[in-house]
Amino acid sequence: MINHATKKQELMDAFNFRHATKAFDPAKKISEDDFNFILEAGRLSPSSIGYEPWRFLVVQNREIREKLREVSSGAQGQFPTASHFVIILARKNATPQSDYGQHILKNVKKVPDDKMEQMVKAYQHFQGVNLNLYESERALFDWASKQTYIALGNMLTAAALIGIDSCPIEGFHMEKVNEVLENEGLLDRENFSVSVMAAFGYRAEEPHREKSRQSQDEVVQWVD
Ligand SMILES: Cc1cc2nc3c(=O)[nH]c(=O)nc-3n(C[C@H](O)[C@H](O)[C@H](O)COP(=O)(O)O)c2cc1C
């Protein structure tokens, strides 16, 4: 039988343990097994219409990290010290009619051939009419980018559950990060752009301040 009380406590402990870590202990490395657990939390994350419009770039190369640090004001302490540094890319053109959309439908979701047309139409209606994503390339990219934040959240929580610190990062210049990655041959700019980043490791010191959050009353409204 599942012990709910223990699980709830473990998860609450993880949420309280997690804080935006500014600098990691550079001597402490996350084990391969533990980091793989974090990657799996990202990979198994849900995404709208199951499109998985993400790619996880694990940047361990020190020189590339330094180039990225120069264009990422919010990650000055994290780039040089993180045990593992992940750049989450989002897809630019994740529509059902794109090659990628077709791949997801056929090979990942295993939609039978005779159902393909119907699915493509339904997803186009969802993206184009319901969410108005075809309004601009940016709207469609931002929709994909939203999905990557779900993976980000799961990765941070998974890490915290096993005592690993992290920091989500969007303190960067998007265009300049894309340029660095492209120059390093790490980015297919036709299809991807940087969405968000995450640094992982073990804290160098305890957080300077208590966790601060609004009360439940301030953020939850019940409609009975
Ligand atoms: C999407 C996102 C981007 C963030 N970007 C940065 C960043 O670039 N640099 C940084 O030090 N913290 C960054 N943070 C951390 C937030 O400032 C932090 O989560 C918030 O102040 C709450 O503090 P806590 O996470 O320690 O509880 C980011 C958080 C999120 C969710």
Side-chain angles (χ1 to χ4, degrees):
M1 203 186 99
I2 298 170
N3 184 338
H4 291 293
T6 309
K7 280 188 185 285
K8 286 197 293 192
Q9 193 56 51
E10 277 177 9
L11 194 53
M12 280 301 137
D13 288 347
F15 285 139
N16 282 302
F17 167 85
R18 192 211 54 76
H19 71 287
T21 307
K22 304 296 171 190
F24 300 91
D25 180 342
K28 288 195 189 150
K29 290 280 165 263
I30 300 171
S31 73
E32 204 181 312
D33 190 62
D34 283 355
F35 190 67
N36 197 49
F37 171 74
I38 295 169
L39 285 178
E40 282 296 89
R43 185 180 72 86
L44 293 170
S45 293
S47 56
S48 185
I49 53 175
Y51 264 24
E52 308 173 39
W54 47 53
R55 182 157 287 191
F56 304 93
L57 216 54
V58 186
V59 180
Q60 300 303 78
N61 179 293
R62 294 282 146 185
E63 284 154 32
I64 298 176
R65 276 200 195 181
E66 183 49 34
K67 287 180 191 166
L68 290 166
R69 193 185 68 85
E70 284 166 17
V71 292
S72 306
S73 58
Q76 293 302 295
Q78 292 90 347
F79 263 118
T81 60
S83 165
H84 290 69
F85 202 103
V86 182
I87 299 196
I88 309 183
L89 306 177
R91 286 213 170 246
K92 278 182 165 172
N93 184 31
T95 59
Q97 65 276 17
S98 68
D99 287 351
Y100 178 73
Q102 293 281 307
H103 162 68
I104 288 287
L105 288 175
K106 276 189 200 148
N107 307 324
V108 182
K109 289 164 162 293
K110 312 263 192 258
V111 172
D113 285 348
D114 62 335
K115 290 272 179 316
M116 278 295 282
E117 205 185 314
Q118 190 189 331
M119 291 290 273
V120 167
K121 278 204 180 122
Y123 287 167
Q124 278 175 333
H125 188 269
F126 168 71
Q127 288 190 324
V129 178
N130 294 5
L131 296 186
N132 196 24
L133 299 181
Y134 304 152
E135 173 191 47
S136 67
E137 282 181 10
R138 182 67 195 239
L140 191 58
F141 170 76
D142 283 346
W143 172 81
S145 182
K146 281 188 203 173
Q147 316 309 320
T148 69
Y149 279 65
I150 302 170
L152 170 75
N154 284 340
M155 291 168 86
L156 303 183
T157 303
L161 264 172
I162 56 171
I164 292 172
D165 289 302
S166 61
C167 189
I169 289 157
E170 58 180 20
F172 54 81
H173 190 294
M174 196 178 197
E175 177 59 23
K176 290 179 182 169
V177 167
N178 282 337
E179 271 171 25
V180 170
L181 295 176
E182 189 182 28
N183 291 340
E184 297 296 333
L186 297 170
L187 185 69
D188 162 15
R189 286 192 77 169
E190 276 280 296
N191 293 305
F192 290 97
S193 165
V194 61
S195 173
V196 67
M197 305 175 176
F200 297 93
Y202 294 94
R203 62 189 73 182
E205 51 181 25
E206 288 308 309
H208 292 204
R209 52 185 176 81
E210 291 274 294
K211 194 173 264 317
S212 62
R213 290 293 189 273
Q214 297 177 80
S215 68
Q216 232 191 63
D217 284 352
E218 289 170 286
V219 297
V220 178
Q221 179 181 4
W222 284 78
V223 183
D224 293 320

